[in-house]
Amino acid sequence: MTEEKRNICWRCGYTLSTAGYEYDSICPGCRTPTRVCRNCRYFSSGAPKQCTQPAADKIADKQRANSCHYFEGL
């Protein structure tokens, strides 16, 4: 069984702090927003709306900062 990675930037793999997921936070490694769907544990490219949370609102741009209430960082 493999250990789940946590607090890792989806784009560059930089290790983020748990506080690094505020709406306006930027990854120090690649300078992209961190509070994005692609950085959320519920993101899944095969799921409806690309999210495993059925009640979550649809977010069109998965790489843009958002304020989804279900967000949990990788």
Side-chain angles (χ1 to χ4, degrees):
M1 197 161 152
T2 61
E3 185 177 317
E4 184 179 345
K5 290 183 178 181
R6 303 292 290 168
N7 302 327
I8 304 293
C9 175
W10 73 273
R11 186 172 216 176
C12 72
Y14 189 91
T15 301
L16 302 167
S17 70
T18 54
Y21 291 109
E22 297 300 320
Y23 179 79
D24 58 352
S25 293
I26 301 294
C27 173
C30 62
R31 308 297 299 161
T32 60
T34 57
R35 191 181 177 96
V36 300
C37 293
R38 296 288 307 257
N39 248 5
C40 180
R41 71 174 293 201
Y42 299 115
F43 175 80
S44 173
S45 59
K49 300 184 282 184
Q50 295 182 318
C51 182
T52 59
Q53 284 293 328
D57 292 334
K58 181 178 180 179
I59 307 291
D61 189 344
K62 306 297 185 205
Q63 298 176 32
R64 190 170 200 171
N66 65 69
S67 56
C68 178
H69 298 292
Y70 295 100
F71 180 87
E72 285 188 30
L74 289 175

